[in-house]
Amino acid sequence: MLGDCKTSEVEAFTTEYLEKTVEPCDWQAIWHTDVFDVLVEVADVDCKELKAKVELECETRGCDLTEEAMKLLLEATLHKVPLLELSVVYDESDFDQTALALEHLRFFYEHIWRKWDEEDEDDDFDYFVRCVEPRLRLYYDILEDRVPAGLEAEYHSTLALCSERFQEFSSLRSGLDIDSESEQDNVSMVEGLRLYEQLEALKRKLRIIENPLLRYVLGYKVNSGQQSYRAKGPRPAGGRVLHLVSALSTVHQLQSLITDKLMPHYSSEEFEVQFHSDPVLAVSACYEGDVVIVCPGLYSITSSISIVDSIEVEGYGLADEVVIEKRNKGDTFVESTGANVKLSNLKFVQRDAVEGILCVRQGKLEMENCVMQCETTGVIVRSAAQLCMNMCDLYGSKGAGVEINPGSVCSLVGNGIHHCKEGILIKDFTDELDAMPKITMVNNMIHNNQGYGVISVKPGEATVEDLPAEPSAADEKEKESEDTRVQSEADIDDEDDDDEDVPAIVMEEECPAIKHDHSVPPDFTEGNDAIKQELVATSAKKHGLQLSRIKALGSMQADENLLSQKMFISIHGNQFEHNGEGSFGTFLY
């Protein structure tokens, strides 16, 4: 229908398409409006005006209008009705192309075309590529539940507001007299400029959401990252409630639950008990200080678990016995914004997902002994949020297992992070608004990830050798000496090893304990000095064998100095094994 037309040519291309595909007369259609449906006979089609001349065929349906009233209505419109309001009636004649053309036309003007498109000053682009294709992709992403519900609502509300502002601006502009110097016209011009600026801002926001590359980087940050999450606070009547979630339990299981859990910890008069079969409903019913206990079983949900108050959600039994499975594509599995939230002994399983498995947007979240089977991204810690993740198992992420944003606090102790694209991704692009993240990593097992075990993302101006603090002259001299020693050891090892087919899976060492003091590396402890020196030499040798492979990655580089940066408050006892690109790397963008 549109071909390679420009914006100014949309009307002409549409007219040409309709002239080729729509029968000019002698076909029946339902004239459908919000008020009535009526059968009409089409006598003529005006493709340029997108109207058809019709004659009434029978009485109306769905309203109290009489046949006489309908005839008067048609006479008032000169028997012309919009093509967009006509639906072809099937008969044995071949009007399939006409019906299909009208459906294309209706879809285009309802979902793709914007009233302000024809006023775009830049008319030297392909309208389909610039406007139609991204809007079409967004439409089908929404149809297939591939867009978060919050972002979808934001898009539709922005589109409605933009249409309203455009109507106001057009009405004001049509009433202006450019040559007039009256005070009223001057006021109207100022108001027009204000409306124009609002309209342009709304159009930019729509373009961001429509662009699949910018949608989640910028659009969703506006929508979800800055939302106001309002906690309920304490229960108005006072007291606390224990929410018991169980789809089906035996008498023996209930007896064990009462004996082992309820009586020792929740037997005070402060607690009442409520029963639920759905964990989402249980969490939604919580007030500050409530506790949710999920009994063993498989719970399939379709909506997000949104935690806005300081509550505890605990699985009774082993994590693999208490499984919560989410099948809807559009939203994050678990979102936490409460001031102090605790999750324990739960297994989260994603099915057909497009959003991450868990996002800490604000407040503090403590996780212990949880299993996360990801399908898209893993755990995301937003700026100003805090995550304490202990003894958890995370795997299957197509992105990073844990994504740490500037200004956040993240403590990872005793976790397994494996079979992800990247193990831990640290966004190190701080500016005047964001502080450096604070990270603790102790006794984690990070292995079998496709890329790096830990990777830092930073602006391209920086280099992988850059440290947060400006090094002193003594530090520079010490660094040069260390680089020379490491390079010499790498050269010697390379002479002894002519095998060029060594795989890229290289870093398999335990991280030394690191404490920061003005960016000066800590001294090795006396007992482990020999072992750690050997690890440094081995790392340098394998790093040399990878240089050609790393160059092929472009701006992604191995970075042995990553763990010496100030963002790491404490890091020791971690193991990195069989990560595809190595243990530590930096991505420059």
Side-chain angles (χ1 to χ4, degrees):
M1 186 170 82
L2 299 175
D4 57 353
C5 71
K6 299 179 175 60
T7 306
S8 59
E9 299 172 335
V10 169
E11 181 180 340
F13 272 67
T14 303
T15 300
E16 182 181 358
Y17 169 76
L18 294 176
E19 288 174 347
K20 291 179 179 179
T21 55
V22 175
E23 292 290 333
C25 59
D26 299 330
W27 47 276
Q28 290 184 328
I30 296 294
W31 179 18
H32 173 73
T33 68
D34 294 335
V35 179
F36 58 79
D37 292 329
V38 61
L39 181 66
V40 295
E41 176 85 15
V42 176
D44 187 26
V45 175
D46 187 341
C47 296
K48 186 178 174 102
E49 296 293 330
L50 301 182
K51 289 188 176 182
K53 185 176 181 179
V54 301
E55 296 293 340
L56 191 64
E57 283 290 304
C58 66
E59 294 183 359
T60 59
R61 292 183 304 176
C63 72
D64 296 331
L65 288 176
T66 63
E67 185 175 352
E68 289 298 323
M70 186 59 63
K71 288 181 179 179
L72 290 174
L73 177 61
L74 285 175
E75 289 176 2
T77 61
L78 302 178
H79 287 260
K80 290 185 176 181
V81 300
L83 280 175
L84 297 177
E85 297 179 358
L86 296 180
S87 297
V88 179
V89 174
Y90 174 79
D91 61 19
E92 295 181 356
S93 303
D94 187 12
F95 293 122
D96 291 351
Q97 288 298 319
T98 298
L100 184 62
L102 292 186
E103 289 304 318
H104 286 325
L105 185 71
R106 194 169 9 256
F107 179 85
F108 173 70
Y109 280 102
E110 287 181 2
H111 301 289
I112 305 298
W113 177 254
R114 308 286 184 253
K115 296 177 182 178
W116 50 86
D117 283 350
E118 57 189 355
E119 297 193 356
D120 198 319
E121 297 177 357
D122 186 3
D123 197 37
D124 296 329
F125 59 84
D126 187 324
Y127 177 70
F128 183 86
V129 173
R130 177 164 174 173
C131 295
V132 178
E133 186 172 9
R135 293 170 186 171
L136 202 58
R137 287 180 179 273
L138 177 61
Y139 173 83
Y140 279 102
D141 284 345
I142 291 175
L143 195 66
E144 297 170 2
D145 291 329
R146 296 189 177 278
V147 175
L151 184 58
E152 179 187 350
E154 180 78 7
Y155 178 74
H156 287 305
S157 63
T158 303
L159 182 60
L161 183 59
C162 193
S163 299
E164 181 182 331
R165 290 290 180 269
F166 179 77
Q167 186 67 35
E168 293 177 8
F169 176 74
S170 299
S171 300
L172 184 63
R173 181 178 55 183
S174 62
L176 281 177
D177 184 356
I178 300 177
D179 298 328
S180 174
E181 297 183 357
S182 67
E183 182 178 352
Q184 180 62 39
D185 283 336
N186 289 337
V187 172
S188 297
M189 290 185 68
V190 172
E191 178 66 14
L193 287 174
R194 185 185 67 82
L195 288 174
Y196 177 79
E197 291 176 355
Q198 291 181 3
L199 183 62
E200 289 301 308
L202 291 170
K203 287 160 65 175
R204 281 194 299 271
K205 187 173 181 180
L206 288 174
R207 284 195 294 268
I208 287 174
I209 301 177
E210 290 166 354
N211 189 311
L213 297 177
L214 300 178
R215 185 180 304 162
Y216 296 101
V217 177
L218 299 176
Y220 199 42
K221 179 180 179 181
V222 174
N223 170 260
S224 294
Q226 309 297 330
Q227 281 186 16
S228 175
Y229 294 90
R230 180 174 297 179
K232 297 179 183 177
R235 195 173 301 278
R240 300 164 65 186
V241 171
L242 175 67
H243 302 267
L244 190 60
V245 182
S246 177
L248 182 65
S249 296
T250 65
V251 174
H252 178 71
Q253 288 175 332
L254 287 176
Q255 184 179 14
S256 299
L257 175 64
I258 294 172
T259 304
D260 300 339
K261 197 72 181 176
L262 302 187
M263 293 303 296
H265 302 287
Y266 307 106
S267 59
S268 65
E269 295 182 359
E270 181 184 17
F271 281 98
E272 296 179 355
V273 179
Q274 290 184 9
F275 295 91
H276 306 268
S277 60
D278 186 342
V280 177
L281 297 178
V283 171
S284 300
C286 284
Y287 285 79
E288 181 180 317
D290 285 1
V291 177
V292 178
I293 294 181
V294 186
C295 294
L298 173 61
Y299 302 88
S300 293
I301 64 175
T302 57
S303 58
S304 294
I305 299 177
S306 182
I307 307 175
V308 297
D309 283 283
S310 298
I311 65 171
E312 297 181 27
V313 183
E314 178 182 353
Y316 175 64
L318 300 177
D320 286 332
E321 298 175 348
V322 187
V323 181
I324 303 176
E325 177 185 75
K326 183 175 184 296
R327 291 188 174 274
N328 191 32
K329 297 177 181 178
D331 303 302
T332 302
F333 198 152
V334 180
E335 287 191 341
S336 176
T337 58
N340 193 358
V341 178
K342 295 181 180 180
L343 302 178
S344 60
N345 300 334
L346 298 167
K347 181 174 183 178
F348 301 98
V349 179
Q350 281 186 311
R351 305 288 187 194
D352 301 322
V354 294
E355 282 290 288
I357 197 165
L358 189 148
C359 182
V360 190
R361 298 204 178 277
Q362 61 190 44
K364 178 181 179 181
L365 172 65
E366 296 183 26
M367 297 186 68
E368 185 172 345
N369 195 32
C370 290
V371 178
M372 284 160 282
Q373 180 179 319
C374 309
E375 182 141 302
T376 51
T377 55
V379 177
I380 300 174
V381 191
R382 296 291 187 194
S383 299
Q386 183 174 352
L387 171 68
C388 296
M389 184 169 152
N390 304 325
M391 305 301 294
C392 294
D393 189 32
L394 186 152
Y395 57 91
S397 171
K398 292 181 176 64
V402 179
E403 178 184 310
I404 303 173
N405 282 268
S408 62
V409 179
C410 186
S411 173
L412 305 174
V413 179
N415 302 290
I417 302 173
H418 55 96
H419 295 92
C420 303
K421 184 175 181 181
E422 308 287 351
I424 298 172
L425 184 146
I426 304 168
K427 293 185 177 179
D428 184 15
F429 38 82
T430 57
D431 54 26
E432 64 275 7
L433 299 178
D434 294 311
M436 188 176 295
K438 298 179 181 179
I439 303 169
T440 300
M441 291 177 57
V442 178
N443 297 333
N444 298 288
M445 183 67 176
I446 303 173
H447 63 96
N448 291 100
N449 296 292
Q450 181 181 345
Y452 289 98
V454 178
I455 184 168
S456 174
V457 179
K458 60 176 64 177
E461 295 80 29
T463 62
V464 292
E465 290 85 3
D466 286 341
L467 294 176
E470 194 70 31
S472 64
D475 294 333
E476 290 289 346
K477 185 175 180 180
E478 181 180 349
K479 179 180 181 300
E480 291 176 4
S481 175
E482 179 68 14
D483 289 344
T484 303
R485 183 188 65 77
V486 171
Q487 184 61 46
S488 298
E489 292 177 356
D491 292 341
I492 293 173
D493 289 330
D494 286 343
E495 291 176 2
D496 296 337
D497 189 355
D498 295 329
D499 186 3
E500 297 296 332
D501 297 326
V502 176
I505 303 173
V506 295
M507 303 298 187
E508 301 182 1
E509 65 272 353
E510 179 173 326
C511 298
I514 294 181
K515 298 286 184 180
H516 291 286
D517 184 13
H518 305 290
S519 299
V520 178
D523 296 332
F524 290 122
T525 59
E526 188 172 347
N528 291 330
D529 183 70
I531 297 175
K532 292 177 180 178
Q533 291 288 357
E534 180 65 25
L535 289 173
V536 171
T538 303
S539 174
K541 171 188 173 182
K542 295 180 179 180
H543 176 73
L545 292 174
Q546 281 192 316
L547 285 179
S548 60
R549 299 182 180 93
I550 293 169
K551 288 180 181 178
L553 294 175
S555 59
M556 188 175 293
Q557 306 174 27
D559 188 359
E560 296 302 319
N561 295 323
L562 177 62
L563 298 187
S564 64
Q565 299 186 22
K566 282 186 175 180
M567 68 179 74
F568 291 98
I569 298 176
S570 175
I571 176 166
H572 62 85
N574 303 287
Q575 298 183 47
F576 297 82
E577 296 183 359
H578 305 297
N579 295 298
E581 301 295 343
S583 297
F584 317 110
T586 296
F587 180 78
L588 306 178
Y589 68 92

